[in-house]
Amino acid sequence: MRPRNVVLIGFMGAGKTVVGRALATHLDFRLFDTDAMVVEEAGMEIPEIWATEGEPGFRAREEKAVLRACAGSGHVIACGGGAILSMKNYGVLKGAGPIVYLRAPADVLRARVDIGGEGRPLLPDDAAFGRLLVERVPIYESAADLTIDADAGTPEQLASLIEQRVSDLPERPDRTIRL
Ligand code: S3P
């Protein structure tokens, strides 16, 4: 069965946006990238939002973006690496469609993200990178309906694999309690 939407989660540098774009083309879905939505809505880049509004300001904007991205169907939702950590986002994303965790080994992620660079307010140094990774991996794992190794192929190949695997997933059971 074709899913209503597909949600991509994973650490910074896992390739959620690039794989999301390829997946959206495969499924003929529309890509919603929560970081891009936040930046567009704020008219500021992420480091600037962080500097002027702090992380709480960014997270509030991200929650709004997640809500907008999850409204409707036929969407591939590429989440910022921290989006799934909010309970509110977790519920909304879980309800939107299967959650795919793009997993990558620490050395692959480390090589892809610019530790200490301007665009990564959460990664001032390698220690912060290590701490965040250890903290988040179990959360990504438990949120995921499906885990895909992000370094196992090109974005195209990963998109084909995800397309095939999400179609095989059983539909989410309806857990509504009716009296
Ligand atoms: C963040 C990840 C970033 C961006 C922000 C915070 C995080 O997105 O949302 O800098 O908390 O992991 P990417 O995962 O797309 O880099």
Side-chain angles (χ1 to χ4, degrees), residues 100-154:
V100 181
Y101 167 33
L102 279 185
R103 172 174 66 188
D107 54 333
V108 170
L109 296 171
R110 189 183 279 106
R112 287 188 188 170
V113 294
D114 181 21
I115 294 177
E118 253 184 31
R120 296 284 183 200
L122 277 174
L123 300 177
D125 50 37
D126 201 60
F129 170 85
R131 259 197 318 273
L132 272 189
L133 195 62
V134 166
E135 197 177 290
R136 288 182 174 185
V137 163
I139 300 170
Y140 296 140
E141 280 174 350
S142 67
D145 297 297
L146 184 66
T147 298
I148 296 284
D149 283 319
D151 60 336
T154 63

Side-chain angles (χ1 to χ4, degrees), residues 60 63-64 66-67 83-94:
E63 283 189 350
K64 278 198 217 151
V66 165
L67 268 182
I84 195 75
L85 275 72
S86 129
M87 280 309 285
K88 191 167 158 201
N89 288 343
Y90 180 87
V92 174
L93 291 164
K94 264 289 180 199

Side-chain angles (χ1 to χ4, degrees), residues 12 16 35 46 50 58-59 62 80-82 120-122 136:
M12 293 169 262
K16 300 170 298 270
D35 284 342
I46 291 175
W50 223 271
F58 174 80
R59 297 297 175 201
E62 188 176 52
R120 296 284 183 200
L122 277 174
R136 288 182 174 185

Side-chain angles (χ1 to χ4, degrees), residues 2 4-6 20-21 23-33 37 40 68-69 71 73-78:
R2 257 166 97 79
R4 191 161 74 83
N5 299 296
V6 180
R21 198 172 294 128
L23 182 62
T25 306
H26 273 245
L27 292 167
D28 199 18
F29 276 15
R30 187 167 157 209
L31 175 68
F32 286 75
D33 180 310
M37 293 168 79
E40 199 194 325
R68 271 207 292 137
S73 57
H75 301 175
V76 170
I77 302 149

